[in-house]
Amino acid sequence: MTRIKVLLACVSVAALAACSSVPREITMRGPIALGSPLFDTRSSYGQFLAGQAALRDGQSKQAATYFDAAAAMDSGSGVIDERAFTALLLAGDITRAAAVAPTGADTTEAVKRLSVLTRVVEAIAVGDGKTANTLLTTSPPGFPHQQAAALLAPWTAALAGDKDGAVVQPTLRNDKLVQFFGQQGQARIFERAKRYDEAETDYKALTSNAATASIFTLDYGAFLERRKRHEDAVALYDTALRTAPNDIGLMRARARAAAKGTPPPLPTIRQGAAEGLIACAATFAGERQAQFAQAYLRLALRLDPARDEAWVLLGDLMNQNEDPKGAIEALAHVPPTSTHYVTAQTKTAWALNDLGDKAKALEVARAAAAAAPGDRDAQVALADLLRSGGQWNDAVSVLDPLIAREGVSPDWRLLYLRAVSLEQGGRWPEAERDLKTALKLNPEEPELLNFLGYSWIDRGENLKDALAMVQRAVNARPQSGAMLDSLGWAYYRLGDYKTAVQKLEAAVELEPGDPDINGHLGDAYWQVGRKTEAVFQWRRVLSLEPDDKQKAEAEAKLKNGLGPAGAPVVKSTAANN
């Protein structure tokens, strides 16, 4: 398991308040194309609007270009200066972002704080420890940057030549992230000062803690290798491999230590500072604060541009922000020699798929899976891409050996994924078998309850059992529109159309763009005599990019309704088992 995955799974911090480092968007009624006359780029306002649109669409580099031009036309505008700074930061041009970082009286407090942090990082990057240290002590960035400030402080002290200040472990009240990564930083600074016993005390504390051992084992092992204690390093790696036998980083480290190869060098001050920023970025990503996470990763990469896991996480964020081109560009920084290469390639495949290049996406995914036949994530990504492209049997063929390898108690998620492909491929009895097996392994998993329950409902089978299952799913996830749709459809199939309407209306409110849910609501409206509203819903289905089956069903209903007797155009309800 990579450090980023472990960090996202293990580090728990208080939820961030609804505070943004990015000024509030100028609200508009609906999207405006960049070619619109409103984006007259001959004016600073036109450049500003174009930058707003680009930033909203995740195109940070393009946004930076527009805001930079706007600032040049209208220097001194607080809003434009803030936007230019933000766009440059998100685009990764930290040097320019630090140069234009707004600090004036009309600058919002949130941007001032991020400006200070950006200037601190740039000072570290150019080796100006005195400036970095002064900024942190005289103008410490406040919420939500206290963690970053605390973790950077020892490194700025070390860069400024303050040997005593550098070895003080940073603390924040009840903050585990600062505690753990602060201790890691202290260990490295002790090692830099040749205070090896104190460094090892820190490493032992981190690796003896069950919550952090997997995060810091490679660091402690590298320390032991640098001390030429190869047998101790091998023993440490062996212990970790018993828990994570397929971890590529651990396997490579063990092989290197066993061969008494050249160990990883002690991280530089810049690299040590970057580590803390990446930890903060992972926390922001886990809290769905994507722009903070992206900004922190850009700052970290200014200090350590060869940090592969940061490029992977950045690519992930950009893909989530619907910027697949930016994601591909970020992921391309990960070299084939990296332990993160296969992960980067599988994520590149998904980005290519999002761009519509499905053939290239499959080519990349197949190569990644072939390069790492033991990497489950790579195999699962290939299977899911095959499934999304309608190659259901091929997807099943990829998943079969993964499930077989796990013996009598496979991961329920693998069974779930195979069931999806089997069901879509028309192999329902096999899909049903997988879902039942998965539910025995994890009987309260909402996704399983909903999938099997809805499948039975849609097939007119086991309706009472299916109703109970989807009700349990909804109880677990009341804000899931898909699960509420299953519940509404169950009532529909049981003939309780009034309740079906109530549930399906709630489902549409949660998932207004789902063709299936809108179609189901139209059917329910028809059954309670609200035929005008039924027709509206079926017409809406056609506006929501339906697949061929959904489109044909909606067109048939618009032409013929639900039949002269008012019966739903679905299979008749089977007897309950």
Side-chain angles (χ1 to χ4, degrees), residues 225-298:
E225 290 183 68
R226 288 191 290 270
R227 309 302 332 127
K228 301 188 184 305
R229 292 165 55 186
H230 299 99
E231 290 183 2
D232 290 342
V234 169
L236 180 71
Y237 296 140
D238 281 341
T239 299
L241 282 165
R242 283 195 284 273
T243 303
N246 297 316
D247 189 295
I248 297 174
L250 286 171
M251 289 190 285
R252 288 189 183 180
R254 190 204 183 282
R256 181 187 64 234
K260 298 183 179 180
T262 303
L266 177 64
T268 65
I269 288 176
R270 286 177 54 164
Q271 290 169 331
E275 183 97 25
L277 292 171
I278 294 170
C280 294
T283 302
F284 281 132
E287 296 290 341
R288 301 184 183 276
Q289 297 283 338
Q291 281 197 320
F292 276 141
Q294 184 174 336
Y296 270 56
L297 289 169
R298 291 297 196 183

Side-chain angles (χ1 to χ4, degrees), residues 229-357:
R229 292 165 55 186
H230 299 99
E231 290 183 2
D232 290 342
V234 169
L236 180 71
Y237 296 140
D238 281 341
T239 299
L241 282 165
R242 283 195 284 273
T243 303
N246 297 316
D247 189 295
I248 297 174
L250 286 171
M251 289 190 285
R252 288 189 183 180
R254 190 204 183 282
R256 181 187 64 234
K260 298 183 179 180
T262 303
L266 177 64
T268 65
I269 288 176
R270 286 177 54 164
Q271 290 169 331
E275 183 97 25
L277 292 171
I278 294 170
C280 294
T283 302
F284 281 132
E287 296 290 341
R288 301 184 183 276
Q289 297 283 338
Q291 281 197 320
F292 276 141
Q294 184 174 336
Y296 270 56
L297 289 169
R298 291 297 196 183
L299 291 171
L301 288 164
R302 172 69 177 106
L303 299 175
D304 188 3
R307 193 59 184 256
D308 297 333
E309 65 195 82
W311 286 115
V312 170
L313 185 50
L314 180 62
D316 240 359
L317 289 169
M318 299 185 88
N319 224 2
Q320 292 170 24
N321 201 33
E322 299 183 0
D323 183 12
K325 289 183 179 179
I328 292 169
E329 182 181 336
L331 294 164
H333 284 83
V334 182
T337 54
S338 171
T339 56
H340 298 280
Y341 180 69
V342 170
T343 299
Q345 289 298 290
T346 58
K347 294 180 183 298
T348 297
W350 276 113
L352 288 165
N353 189 72
D354 291 343
L355 284 171
D357 193 346

Side-chain angles (χ1 to χ4, degrees), residues 119-318:
R119 291 164 61 202
V120 168
V121 169
E122 181 61 20
I124 296 172
V126 299
D128 187 354
K130 183 178 179 180
T131 296
N133 210 28
T134 300
L135 281 168
L136 276 182
T137 53
T138 61
S139 305
F143 179 85
H145 309 296
Q146 304 99 313
Q147 290 177 321
L151 292 171
L152 289 175
W155 297 105
T156 63
L159 192 59
D162 180 1
K163 295 181 180 179
D164 292 334
V167 295
V168 174
Q169 182 179 338
T171 59
L172 277 180
R173 185 177 180 182
N174 298 324
D175 194 309
K176 296 296 185 182
L177 183 141
V178 171
Q179 176 189 334
F180 297 145
F181 281 89
Q183 190 166 25
Q184 178 209 40
Q186 185 185 54
R188 288 176 169 175
I189 293 173
F190 275 142
E191 188 179 354
R192 291 179 62 83
K194 297 182 171 51
R195 294 165 64 172
Y196 301 123
D197 289 345
E198 292 160 291
E200 187 162 11
T201 297
D202 280 332
Y203 282 129
K204 282 183 175 179
L206 289 167
T207 53
S208 63
N209 185 329
T212 59
S214 55
I215 302 177
F216 300 109
T217 292
L218 288 174
D219 295 324
Y220 185 21
F223 167 81
L224 293 171
E225 290 183 68
R226 288 191 290 270
R227 309 302 332 127
K228 301 188 184 305
R229 292 165 55 186
H230 299 99
E231 290 183 2
D232 290 342
V234 169
L236 180 71
Y237 296 140
D238 281 341
T239 299
L241 282 165
R242 283 195 284 273
T243 303
N246 297 316
D247 189 295
I248 297 174
L250 286 171
M251 289 190 285
R252 288 189 183 180
R254 190 204 183 282
R256 181 187 64 234
K260 298 183 179 180
T262 303
L266 177 64
T268 65
I269 288 176
R270 286 177 54 164
Q271 290 169 331
E275 183 97 25
L277 292 171
I278 294 170
C280 294
T283 302
F284 281 132
E287 296 290 341
R288 301 184 183 276
Q289 297 283 338
Q291 281 197 320
F292 276 141
Q294 184 174 336
Y296 270 56
L297 289 169
R298 291 297 196 183
L299 291 171
L301 288 164
R302 172 69 177 106
L303 299 175
D304 188 3
R307 193 59 184 256
D308 297 333
E309 65 195 82
W311 286 115
V312 170
L313 185 50
L314 180 62
D316 240 359
L317 289 169
M318 299 185 88

Side-chain angles (χ1 to χ4, degrees), residues 34 80 162 413 486 552:
L34 290 180
I80 291 177
D162 180 1
R413 289 167 293 189
S486 298

Side-chain angles (χ1 to χ4, degrees), residues 420-558:
V420 172
S421 294
L422 288 166
E423 191 274 336
Q424 291 178 321
R427 297 162 64 180
W428 170 244
E430 295 168 89
E432 185 179 37
R433 176 204 63 202
D434 274 355
L435 290 170
K436 287 180 176 179
T437 302
L439 270 171
K440 288 179 181 177
L441 296 169
N442 196 356
E444 294 304 319
E445 170 52 46
E447 292 291 343
L448 293 172
L449 291 167
N450 183 64
F451 188 4
L452 182 55
Y454 179 79
S455 297
W456 278 344
I457 292 162
D458 211 39
R459 297 173 67 84
E461 300 171 359
N462 310 319
L463 290 182
K464 289 184 179 179
D465 288 343
L467 175 63
M469 290 170 70
V470 296
Q471 183 64 71
R472 283 158 60 197
V474 169
N475 291 344
R477 295 187 186 170
Q479 296 305 308
S480 169
M483 293 180 186
L484 266 173
D485 171 63
S486 298
L487 184 59
W489 198 233
Y491 281 113
Y492 180 95
R493 299 307 300 271
L494 287 165
D496 186 350
Y497 302 124
K498 182 178 179 181
T499 303
V501 166
Q502 294 172 355
K503 302 299 181 183
L504 291 168
E505 284 180 336
V508 165
E509 286 183 12
L510 291 169
E511 297 284 350
D514 187 290
D516 270 331
I517 300 176
N518 280 276
H520 288 163
L521 179 58
D523 294 358
Y525 279 152
W526 183 277
Q527 298 290 6
V528 296
R530 296 163 63 176
K531 296 187 176 181
T532 300
E533 290 165 283
V535 169
F536 174 85
Q537 290 300 136
W538 295 332
R539 284 178 177 159
R540 178 162 171 72
V541 170
L542 297 178
S543 71
L544 296 175
E545 299 182 3
D547 61 28
D548 291 342
K549 180 174 179 290
Q550 293 164 338
K551 181 179 179 182
E553 287 179 351
E555 289 175 341
K557 291 171 190 175
L558 286 169

